[in-house]
Amino acid sequence: MASWYVFEPPKTLPDTAEAAGKALFIKDGFSIGAFLLGPFWLLWRRMWLVFLFWLVAQIALLLIARVLHFDERLAGLVSLLFSLCVSLEANALRAWTLRRKGWRFLGLALGHSLVEAEQRHFSERTLVEPPKPLPPARPRHPGPTRPHEGHDGVLGVFPDVQGSRP
């Protein structure tokens, strides 16, 4: 049975339906994509620091092979073993990268497939609805005023002008 890292994105409220919909499951273990595509897989996954480490390590291995006068087959074998080591830890390095980017680690989910791991994970969780924002308050504008009874022809405290203006 495989284990899967479960992450929620950083810009969502924890344990909400939105966060659950954007949850990311990463299978723990060997990554065939990282083994076959190496640096391209790292760049595709935006694992910049891991890519820089990979690049420095490859250059160091090349220099060591040249200094020690390895023949090409032995240098190729060393490079192949390094790629194997990286591909064994690629998904753990991806999980590390996501933690650095602020993703919330929720735990491990177990399952024979991704679908089974998702079902097990979400069956054990309770999602809460975020509080709904209050509707915007209607602005309070005083309505038009009507003159009170007994005050005909008076606006405010001044009576209407009785004469005409020149």
Side-chain angles (χ1 to χ4, degrees):
M1 186 174 299
S3 60
W4 305 75
Y5 297 105
V6 184
F7 288 95
E8 280 185 349
K11 295 182 180 179
T12 58
L13 293 174
D15 298 324
T16 60
E18 178 191 9
K22 296 178 180 178
L24 185 61
F25 287 73
I26 301 172
K27 187 175 182 180
D28 187 25
F30 181 78
S31 171
I32 190 74
F35 181 70
L36 295 176
L37 302 174
F40 302 110
W41 186 86
L42 295 173
L43 293 173
W44 177 260
R45 299 290 182 184
R46 298 177 185 225
M47 298 168 60
W48 314 119
L49 287 176
V50 178
F51 171 74
L52 287 175
F53 164 75
W54 178 90
L55 187 62
V56 168
Q58 284 288 7
I59 292 170
L61 286 173
L62 177 68
L63 291 175
I64 290 170
R66 294 215 180 201
V67 168
L68 297 177
H69 304 292
F70 287 172
D71 68 348
E72 290 179 15
R73 286 182 291 173
L74 185 57
L77 182 62
V78 169
S79 180
L80 182 69
L81 288 174
F82 178 71
S83 294
L84 181 64
C85 290
V86 168
S87 61
L88 285 170
E89 292 299 320
N91 287 328
L93 292 169
R94 185 174 176 207
W96 174 77
T97 302
L98 288 174
R99 282 189 203 112
R100 288 191 70 246
K101 291 181 179 179
W103 285 66
R104 290 183 300 277
F105 176 67
L106 299 179
L108 292 174
L110 301 175
H112 292 289
S113 67
L114 174 60
V115 173
E116 185 180 342
E118 287 175 340
Q119 288 173 345
R120 285 184 179 199
H121 173 74
F122 289 118
S123 69
E124 297 171 1
R125 278 183 71 189
T126 354
L127 299 178
V128 295
E129 284 299 315
K132 294 184 179 180
L134 296 175
R138 296 189 326 185
R140 293 183 161 224
H141 297 293
T145 58
R146 289 183 278 150
H148 296 286
E149 292 182 25
H151 297 286
D152 290 335
V154 175
L155 178 67
V157 290
F158 301 102
D160 284 341
V161 177
Q162 296 297 326
S164 62
R165 292 193 160 189

